[in-house]
């Protein structure tokens, strides 16, 4: 007999399939995994609940206290890993935040409390793409992946990037 936790499976909480009981929660889990795979084809599916929980925690904390947690950079990096398939480097790695194929990627996050949609990028770092992630005041997350060659030219080590200057279809 199959058990889900301490609860016995039967017609009240499961369906009979191919000679065994399958719980509704197991079916829900597989359905959710299928939806995740369709929405995020390059994602490590185990990261999605962490991303969603971290974003929800940041939003709940803000609504409860009026203050922000210092987690938005991590949310931006997880978004890049899930949405674009970026393989993140260890924390505080020098040069870039992760890799996408053969490209090193720098992730810059626009936080929901920021007064403008501008990020500062250190051009002396080792990257070939930059992902700008925007977390809106409503805690909606979106991103724009930009190739280094498409960035504004500057003789300085630092350049300011405005979200509005790049659209979703910007060439990488």
């Amino acid at each position: 007999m199959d058990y889900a936790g301490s609860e016995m499976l039967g017609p009240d909480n499961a369906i009979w399939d191919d000679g065994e009981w399958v719980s509704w929660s197991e079916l829900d889990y597989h359905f959710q995994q299928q939806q995740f795979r369709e929405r995020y084809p390059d994602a490590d599916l185990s990261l999605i609940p962490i991303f969603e929980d971290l974003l929800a925690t940041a939003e709940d904390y803000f609504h409860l206290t009026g203050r922000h947690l210092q987690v938005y950079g991590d949310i931006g990096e997880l978004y890049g890993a899930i949405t674009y398939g970026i393989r993140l480097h260890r924390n505080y790695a020098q040069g870039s935040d992760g890799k996408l194929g053969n490209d090193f990627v720098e992730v810059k996050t626009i936080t929901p409390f920021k007064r403008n949609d501008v990020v500062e990028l250190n051009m002396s770092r080792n990257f070939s793409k930059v992902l700008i992630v925007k977390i809106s005041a409503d805690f909606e997350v979106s991103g724009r992946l930009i190739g280094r060659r498409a960035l504004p030219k500057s003789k300085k080590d630092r350049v300011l990037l405005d979200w509005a200057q790049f659209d979703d279809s910007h060439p990488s």
Side-chain angles (χ1 to χ4, degrees):
M1 214 168 258
D2 290 328
Y3 291 90
S6 61
E7 189 177 1
M8 189 177 344
L9 296 178
D12 294 333
N13 62 0
I15 62 169
W16 186 257
D17 182 46
D18 200 25
E20 65 180 332
W21 289 106
V22 179
S23 73
W24 289 113
S25 61
E26 186 175 340
L27 289 173
D28 288 343
Y29 172 79
H30 288 293
F31 179 69
Q32 181 184 49
Q33 294 296 301
Q34 182 180 8
Q35 286 181 316
F36 286 160
R37 180 59 61 211
E38 289 171 8
R39 187 170 176 196
Y40 307 111
D42 298 320
D44 174 348
L45 297 184
S46 63
L47 295 178
I48 296 171
I50 296 166
F51 167 77
E52 290 178 339
D53 290 347
L54 191 55
L55 185 62
T57 299
E59 182 177 11
D60 291 346
Y61 183 81
F62 173 72
H63 290 304
L64 183 65
T65 67
R67 298 188 325 251
H68 290 278
L69 292 172
Q70 300 299 309
V71 296
Y72 297 113
D74 293 323
I75 290 171
E77 289 181 7
L78 282 169
Y79 178 83
I82 291 166
T83 306
Y84 293 92
I86 296 169
R87 294 199 145 313
L88 298 173
H89 298 317
R90 71 185 189 290
N91 286 344
Y92 309 109
Q94 295 296 311
S96 64
D97 294 309
K99 241 182 142 182
L100 181 58
N102 291 326
D103 294 314
F104 289 100
V105 181
E106 180 71 12
V107 179
K108 302 303 287 183
T109 304
I110 300 169
T111 61
F113 57 85
K114 199 150 190 233
R115 295 183 202 271
N116 59 41
D117 291 342
V118 175
V119 293
E120 183 176 302
L121 183 63
N122 183 346
M123 298 300 288
S124 66
R125 294 192 63 166
N126 180 29
F127 66 92
S128 50
K129 293 183 185 285
V130 62
L131 174 63
I132 304 174
V133 177
K134 181 178 179 181
I135 305 171
S136 73
D138 295 331
F139 290 85
E140 296 295 320
V141 185
S142 54
R144 296 184 176 161
L145 187 64
I146 305 138
R148 188 173 185 135
R149 284 182 265 157
L151 296 173
K153 304 298 179 229
S154 175
K155 294 183 192 241
K156 298 180 181 178
D157 280 347
R158 300 195 182 273
V159 65
L160 298 178
L161 303 177
D162 189 325
W163 174 264
Q165 77 188 93
F166 303 100
D167 63 20
D168 294 330
S169 63
H170 203 279
S172 332

